[in-house]
Amino acid sequence: MKVTADRAVCVGAGMCVLTAPDVFDQDEDGIVTVLAPEPGDDSRDAALEAGMLCPSGALRVEEQRGTAAE
């Protein structure tokens, strides 16, 4: 899983931090900061939910596909 955030789009609602505090934080202006760009399995569901709940669409949470050698 890969998590990114478009800080220019973020409106500072804080839903990401409330939903996945191990993955997201907010800076002093309330703008999202990604703490764990590749969260572990224990944070996976929360990161996905945060991506869906973001009111501004600033978050991108993508599943990473395995390679053909795996």
Side-chain angles (χ1 to χ4, degrees), residues 56-68:
S56 67
L59 306 180
R60 179 170 300 256
V61 182
E62 299 175 323
E63 295 288 346
Q64 291 181 321
R65 303 287 181 209
T67 63

Side-chain angles (χ1 to χ4, degrees), residues 10-60:
C10 178
V11 296
M15 293 302 298
C16 55
V17 179
L18 292 172
T19 306
D22 293 336
V23 180
F24 303 101
D25 199 358
Q26 290 174 289
D27 67 14
E28 60 276 354
D29 295 320
I31 303 302
V32 65
T33 299
V34 178
L35 298 176
E38 295 181 13
D41 289 340
D42 56 328
S43 299
R44 181 183 179 281
D45 290 342
L48 286 168
E49 184 175 359
M52 290 186 291
L53 292 175
C54 179
S56 67
L59 306 180
R60 179 170 300 256

